[in-house]
Amino acid sequence: MSVAVGDRVLPGPHGDLRVRVYEPAADVERVAGLVWAHGGAFIRGSLDMLEADWVARSLADAGVVVVSVDYQLAPASDPAGPWSGPDGQPPGVRFPVASEEVSFAHGWAQDAGLGVGPERWSLGGASAGGNLASGASLRLRDAGGTPPRSIVLAYPVAHFELPAPSAELFEKMTPDWRSPGSLASMNANYLGHDGPPTSPYAFPGGQDLRGLPPTFVLNSDHDGLRASGEAYAAELAAAGVDVLLVREDGTEHGHLNHPETPGAVRSIARISTWLTVDALVGTPHEAPHDRPETEAAAR
């Protein structure tokens, strides 16, 4: 028997929201759930890309029900004018649309009757999807209710500005990552304006991270964004959050799109183990004394 796959259209917070549900074969125990957001620099990617489909199928084989989120994308950036289209109105959406869609999908999955209890659902994503998942974790923390069991982040965009890399990482980075402004255009395009974000949920790096669920951060070895993943893991630990940080040796950014490589196979095994073996995952600890401003006020 094989994984069952089906698309559903949800009444999302910003119109119809398509998700793809991956359910383990009938003879496989459903031990956990994961709401997953693919990457793509906020402007591209789909449920069919390997970082979405292969990851979900592989985890479903291990007993994880996966809800892959087809969140709305930001406009395709143009170096000559990244925030405007020919008619002055760029196609696509800006923050907080995709972030709120991922938060909504997690709440839907908890109550969808997919054979996994609400407390067994984790939330995760890769690259830009890692940003959406980590930002959603802050929003869900502040909203109360049943929190995600854990957060799974693969080579995430956690910071608005790329933290300074270590000397070891700097030597491995390609030249385009070595500029402090390497993420500036992508992140400004996602926000729709220059300058830092005004909401704590846009880029979780540097925010109040107390009380978040246990978090697994999986970085690619030869990847400038590793500086963000490593810094975010350190911030989580400093905030009292249980965190597991792994660097997948010999891999490039986006390595989950390459299932033929040993690094991708190892990474799937790591994620599967994190989601299905309770002994690896800690518990949420101290909650913030002062909640960040509400999303409505922070937009």
Side-chain angles (χ1 to χ4, degrees), residues 95-104 132-144 190 199-202 212 295 299:
F95 174 83
V97 173
S99 177
E100 291 180 342
E101 289 179 330
V102 171
S103 301
F104 176 87
L132 300 177
S134 54
S137 73
L138 292 182
R139 183 183 295 105
L140 293 169
R141 176 200 65 186
D142 297 341
Y190 170 55
S199 167
Y201 308 134
L212 287 180
E295 177 69 4
R299 289 181 188 174

Side-chain angles (χ1 to χ4, degrees), residues 47-72:
L47 299 183
D48 297 322
M49 66 190 293
L50 292 170
E51 192 177 74
D53 186 67
W54 176 71
V55 168
R57 290 179 185 273
S58 300
L59 295 176
D61 281 337
V64 180
V65 179
V66 180
V67 175
S68 188
V69 186
D70 192 24
Y71 59 86
Q72 295 185 66

Side-chain angles (χ1 to χ4, degrees), residues 31-35 105-123 140 145-150:
V31 296
L34 175 67
V35 173
H106 182 267
W108 174 84
Q110 288 181 315
D111 299 326
L114 295 172
V116 178
E119 74 287 350
R120 298 292 300 174
W121 281 92
S122 292
L123 175 62
L140 293 169
T146 302
R149 172 179 178 266
S150 73

